[in-house]
């Protein structure tokens, strides 16, 4: 994973993609590897979005990252990235929904929401996320996934592309 980030910084994008794939293959299955897979998939989504401008793969990767995260409310940067990806795809409705969830997760009210208020949306919980992403309910029981793991990945800095940080990214970093 770290090697992939280094190659990304060096703009060796083909090598970066292969190394992210290799990192995913090396993670543990089940609960033990869930946190690492989520971090790698989130980084891969950012890579596809910024370096490759492949919005379909970026959205797929961020959805997988959210699925791997047992407590998605702890990771508002995923919602912010999904909102950016949705904006780039021209899907304003999904982008607003992601920003509303982001606002809910960081405890603020979204200012860009027009037809939906973040206060009217329920907090996205892990069971709701699994249902939303259409993952079979027995998967988590078989995989032995539970809440409460220490989240070491929040300290990793990803290379930023030419895109500027938006207000949501600055709010996330402040928290």
């Amino acid at each position: 994973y770290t090697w992939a980030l280094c190659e990304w910084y060096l703009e060796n994008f083909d090598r970066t993609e292969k190394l992210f794939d290799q990192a995913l293959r090396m993670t543990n299955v089940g609960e033990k590897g869930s946190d690492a897979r989520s971090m790698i998939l989130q980084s891969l989504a950012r890579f596809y979005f910024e370096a490759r401008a492949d919005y379909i793969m970026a959205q797929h990767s961020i959805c997988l990252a959210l699925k791997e995260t047992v407590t998605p409310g702890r990771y508002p940067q995923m919602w912010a990235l999904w909102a950016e990806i949705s904006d780039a795809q021209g899907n304003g409705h999904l982008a607003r929904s992601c920003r509303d969830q982001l606002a809910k997760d960081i405890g603020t009210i979204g200012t860009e929401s027009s037809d939906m208020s973040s206060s009217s949306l329920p907090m996205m919980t892990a069971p709701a996320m699994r249902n939303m992403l259409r993952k079979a309910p027995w998967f988590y029981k078989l995989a032995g996934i539970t809440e409460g793991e220490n989240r070491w990945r929040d300290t990793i800095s990803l290379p930023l592309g030419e895109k500027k940080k938006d207000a949501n990214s600055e709010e996330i970093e402040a928290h």
Side-chain angles (χ1 to χ4, degrees), residues 37-48:
R37 279 190 309 276
S38 180
M39 176 194 58
I40 294 165
L41 288 163
Q42 182 183 357
S43 300
L44 186 59
R46 175 67 65 188
F47 169 74
Y48 281 132

Side-chain angles (χ1 to χ4, degrees), residues 22-100:
Q22 187 69 20
L24 283 170
R25 291 171 194 244
M26 307 254 329
T27 59
N28 292 329
V29 296
E31 181 182 358
K32 290 183 180 180
S34 181
D35 192 42
R37 279 190 309 276
S38 180
M39 176 194 58
I40 294 165
L41 288 163
Q42 182 183 357
S43 300
L44 186 59
R46 175 67 65 188
F47 169 74
Y48 281 132
F49 178 66
E50 291 185 355
R52 295 276 195 207
D54 187 344
Y55 306 134
I56 301 294
M57 287 301 293
Q59 181 168 327
H60 177 69
S61 297
I62 199 66
C63 286
L64 290 175
L66 279 163
K67 181 208 63 90
E68 289 291 338
T69 304
V70 178
T71 53
R74 294 181 60 197
Y75 300 103
Q77 59 269 46
M78 289 185 195
W79 290 111
L81 177 56
W82 198 354
E84 289 179 56
I85 293 166
S86 298
D87 279 336
Q89 290 177 317
N91 190 344
H93 179 72
L94 180 57
R96 278 191 305 279
S97 295
C98 291
R99 284 192 182 90
D100 287 339

Side-chain angles (χ1 to χ4, degrees), residues 135-151:
K135 192 65 179 173
W138 47 263
F139 172 81
Y140 288 91
K141 188 170 185 176
L142 289 177
I145 296 173
T146 59
E147 293 185 31
E149 270 189 50
N150 187 14
R151 307 297 181 181

Side-chain angles (χ1 to χ4, degrees), residues 5 8-9 46 50 157-161:
L5 293 179
W8 186 359
Y9 275 110
R46 175 67 65 188
E50 291 185 355
S157 173
L158 299 177
L160 296 176

